């Protein structure tokens, strides 16, 4: 029985009725192996984050994480299910046209597409919209000056756990050149949505948000479809992994920036300053548009940290060869648009920063452990980071200071915005698609 989140539990229970062809035979009462509250089990919570028991002993947090482990994205799943009636390329084209022209101007588009997009235009009353543009401007600075050197490392977070990483494993989306495409798509998404008006109805960021939701739902739909019928083709064991790409796994990706700032604030015993609170609101709004409910989008530093860590405390530890391959292929991927000397040098610098970020975030600075997980740091990596850090940090500081001065704030934002647009040219045109024909068995 749901004591703390009855509405969320009711939403989970309705999923089988709302989309019976996908969830009618899914057992929403059976807790999968991935979710554990056994104190003797090893979890994904790093030891540096303290005692796991304080999260396991919090019934409100445990109920929320458990319930959200069964939460899907039914509106997007309905569109993904149309792939049984439409060729995927035609379906994607219809979705993009509705995004750009409006549902009324694409009468041949199935109603499910408009039913996905229409609620995304609504503004829930739990978001402070007066802060959104300020939060986007704050995020834009990071997208221009920090994310290009950190996104690869952060992107690897999902792949450090075999339970959460399986969707990417079975899609084959991170092998060979596709690894570079996925990293660039992720970086491009966070960049394009941080542009001025980046989440407005007919903006490229709005369309990208719809496409990201659909891509996740396509993975979920194809994984569950392949878990049925002929055992030779089975790729997903629901008793072990539960739902593919549940909303609890979308929360870290959508709120990683707020979590990093919130953890520092909580450790320092201080409140978030205005610009960071604005950033939190922007991330909450973007994640809401990605389909996450209010319950998974806390607004205070302590609540963000608690939910982030509670998820890790209940996610059973697992790291196998598939995870290692995902980490290695992602770290090895070449992300730059050309083979020029400049792009090769920029790629080398970015990889060095990503390796350092990975070792710090997921290995607690243990380089041997990082190597065991597929990330090999060399003295040259450290030297590259040390040589470029003064320029990168001073540029970031200068832009941040200029952004706070009335005579320079407009110039600083134009500089950052232009830089983000140039970054987007480097990333290429995102596809945000998944091809079930490439899925592993």
């Amino acid at each position: 029985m749901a004591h703390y989140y009855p509405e969320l539990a009711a939403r989970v229970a309705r999923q089988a009725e709302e989309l019976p062809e996908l969830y009618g035979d899914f057992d929403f009462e059976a807790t999968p192996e991935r979710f554990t509250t056994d104190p003797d089990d090893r979890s994904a919570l790093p030891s540096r984050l303290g005692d796991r028991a304080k999260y396991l002993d919090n019934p409100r947090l445990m109920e929320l994480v458990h319930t959200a482990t069964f939460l899907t994205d039914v509106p997007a799943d309905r569109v993904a299910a149309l792939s049984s009636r439409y060729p995927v390329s035609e379906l994607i084209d219809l979705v993009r046209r509705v995004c750009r022209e409006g549902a009324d101007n694409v009468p041949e588009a199935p109603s499910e597409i408009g039913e996905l997009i229409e609620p995304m235009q609504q503004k829930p009353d739990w978001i402070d919209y007066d802060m959104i543009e300020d939060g986007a401007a704050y995020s834009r600075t990071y997208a221009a000056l920090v994310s290009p050197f950190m996104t690869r490392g952060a992107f690897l977070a999902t792949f450090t756990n075999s339970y959460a990483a399986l969707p990417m494993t079975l899609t084959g989306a991170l092998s060979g050149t596709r690894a570079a495409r996925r990293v660039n798509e992720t970086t491009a998404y966070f960049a394009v949505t941080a542009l001025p008006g980046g989440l407005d109805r007919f903006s490229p960021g709005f369309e990208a948000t719809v496409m990201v939701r659909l891509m996740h739902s396509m993975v979920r739909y194809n994984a569950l479809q392949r878990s049925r019928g002929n055992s030779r083709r089975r790729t997903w064991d629901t008793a072990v992994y539960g739902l593919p790409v549940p909303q609890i796994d979308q929360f870290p990706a959508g709120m990683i920036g707020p979590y990093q700032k919130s953890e520092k604030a909580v450790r320092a015993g201080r409140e978030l300053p205005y610009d960071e609170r604005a950033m939190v609101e922007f991330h909450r709004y973007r994640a809401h548009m990605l389909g996450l409910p209010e319950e998974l989008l806390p607004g205070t530093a302590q609540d963000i940290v608690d939910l982030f860590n509670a998820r890790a405390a209940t996610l059973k530890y697992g790291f196998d060869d598939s995870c290692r391959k995902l980490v290695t292929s992602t770290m090895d991927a070449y992300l730059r648009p050309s083979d020029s000397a400049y792009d090769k040098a920029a790629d080398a610098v970015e990889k060095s920063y990503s390796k350092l970020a990975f070792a710090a975030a997921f290995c607690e600075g243990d380089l041997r452990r990082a190597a065991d997980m597929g990330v090999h740091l060399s003295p040259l990596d450290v030297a590259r980071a040390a040589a470029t850090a003064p320029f990168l940090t001073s540029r970031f500081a200068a832009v941040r200071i200029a952004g706070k001065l009335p005579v320079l704030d407009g110039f600083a934002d134009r500089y950052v915005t232009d830089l983000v647009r140039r970054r987007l040219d480097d990333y290429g045109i995102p596809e945000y698609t998944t091809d079930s024909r490439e899925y592993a068995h």
Side-chain angles (χ1 to χ4, degrees):
M1 179 180 292
H3 297 285
Y4 301 102
Y5 298 95
E7 293 182 5
L8 196 66
R11 177 174 165 180
V12 168
R14 289 196 303 270
Q15 292 172 151
E17 301 172 5
E18 292 173 335
L19 197 56
E21 61 267 40
L22 193 59
Y23 300 122
D25 60 354
F26 187 90
D27 188 355
F28 288 99
E29 300 295 325
T31 299
E33 180 183 305
R34 65 164 276 166
F35 181 92
T36 178
T37 55
D38 187 337
D40 294 328
D41 284 340
R42 183 180 176 186
S43 77
L45 184 72
S47 59
R48 65 180 173 81
L49 295 180
D51 186 8
R52 179 179 175 230
K54 72 177 181 180
Y55 300 107
L56 300 184
D57 293 340
N58 186 320
R60 181 183 292 272
L61 279 173
M62 290 301 97
E63 181 182 315
L64 176 55
V65 176
H66 185 268
T67 303
T69 300
F70 294 95
L71 186 64
T72 70
D73 183 359
V74 170
D77 294 342
R78 284 196 178 113
V79 178
L82 293 172
S83 61
S84 64
R85 293 161 37 199
Y86 291 82
V88 172
S89 59
E90 181 181 344
L91 179 61
I92 294 298
D93 180 64
L94 287 169
V95 171
R96 290 192 182 277
R97 286 183 58 201
V98 172
C99 286
R100 296 171 186 178
E101 303 171 32
D104 292 342
N105 296 316
V106 191
E108 64 270 34
S111 61
E112 288 87 346
I113 298 175
E115 290 164 2
L116 165 63
I117 291 174
E118 193 278 330
M120 293 174 63
Q121 303 172 67
Q122 300 172 6
K123 295 184 176 181
D125 58 11
W126 46 270
I127 297 288
D128 186 342
Y129 293 94
D130 292 336
M131 304 176 81
I132 295 302
E133 283 305 315
D134 288 339
Y138 183 91
S139 299
R140 199 153 54 240
T141 301
Y142 277 82
L145 303 175
V146 178
S147 296
F149 301 96
M150 297 295 178
T151 298
R152 189 198 307 247
F155 190 79
L156 294 171
T158 303
F159 312 144
T160 58
N161 183 275
S162 54
Y163 294 94
L166 186 61
M168 284 297 189
T169 303
L170 71 90
T171 62
L174 289 163
S175 59
T177 58
R178 281 176 286 175
R181 190 180 81 196
R182 288 301 185 214
V183 175
N184 280 339
E185 283 181 343
T186 300
T187 313
Y189 173 71
F190 289 119
V192 73
T193 51
L195 287 172
L199 292 174
D200 290 350
R201 168 60 184 91
F202 290 99
S203 69
F206 185 97
E207 178 180 329
T209 302
V210 174
M211 293 303 299
V212 168
R213 285 184 71 171
L214 179 56
M215 178 181 66
H216 290 150
S217 285
M218 289 291 286
V219 172
R220 188 181 302 118
Y221 173 80
N222 286 315
L224 288 177
Q225 287 296 96
R226 284 172 173 253
S227 71
R228 300 183 173 95
N230 189 333
S231 61
R232 184 179 62 82
R233 292 177 56 84
R234 291 190 63 169
T235 58
W236 192 268
D237 188 343
T238 57
V240 175
Y241 301 101
L243 280 169
V245 202
Q247 293 295 65
I248 193 62
D249 285 355
Q250 299 302 297
F251 161 70
M255 295 291 283
I256 182 66
Y259 171 74
Q260 291 170 334
K261 297 297 182 183
S262 295
E263 187 186 29
K264 290 180 181 178
V266 169
R267 279 194 279 110
R270 61 171 175 81
E271 297 294 324
L272 293 172
Y274 173 80
D275 54 0
E276 293 180 1
R277 285 190 288 115
M279 180 268 290
V280 169
E281 286 303 287
F282 170 67
H283 279 251
R284 293 176 79 210
Y285 180 45
R286 181 168 60 189
H288 155 71
M289 293 183 66
L290 283 168
L292 273 71
E294 179 185 2
E295 294 88 342
L296 290 182
L297 298 172
T300 69
Q302 187 65 64
D303 288 344
I304 292 169
V305 169
D306 285 346
L307 181 53
F308 213 98
N309 293 346
R311 172 190 175 272
T314 59
L315 181 60
K316 193 170 183 178
Y317 174 82
F319 189 88
D320 54 20
D321 286 341
S322 294
C323 292
R324 190 173 291 105
K325 289 176 182 176
L326 288 170
V327 169
T328 300
S329 64
T330 303
M331 194 59 75
D332 289 346
Y334 185 77
L335 306 182
R336 303 297 298 182
S338 77
D339 291 326
S340 68
Y342 173 83
D343 276 344
K344 287 182 178 179
D347 186 74
V349 170
E350 181 273 324
K351 281 182 180 176
S352 295
Y353 275 101
S354 292
K355 291 177 183 180
L356 289 166
F358 179 90
F362 307 117
C363 305
E364 301 181 61
D366 187 336
L367 301 189
R368 182 174 297 179
R369 181 178 166 193
D372 289 341
M373 296 177 74
V375 176
H376 300 272
L377 268 155
S378 70
L380 185 57
D381 290 313
V382 177
R384 286 194 192 103
T388 55
F391 166 72
L392 297 177
T393 55
S394 60
R395 180 175 63 164
F396 179 79
V399 170
R400 289 284 292 142
I401 292 170
K404 295 179 180 180
L405 300 175
V407 294
L408 293 176
D409 61 343
F411 170 79
D413 191 55
R414 285 193 298 274
Y415 169 75
V416 166
T417 301
D418 289 345
L419 188 54
V420 169
R421 295 188 189 281
R422 292 200 297 272
R423 299 279 192 212
L424 288 168
D425 289 339
D426 289 343
Y427 300 142
I429 300 174
E431 296 180 18
Y432 302 122
T433 58
T434 179
D435 190 345
S436 63
R437 294 172 300 180
E438 299 170 344
Y439 284 21
H441 290 166

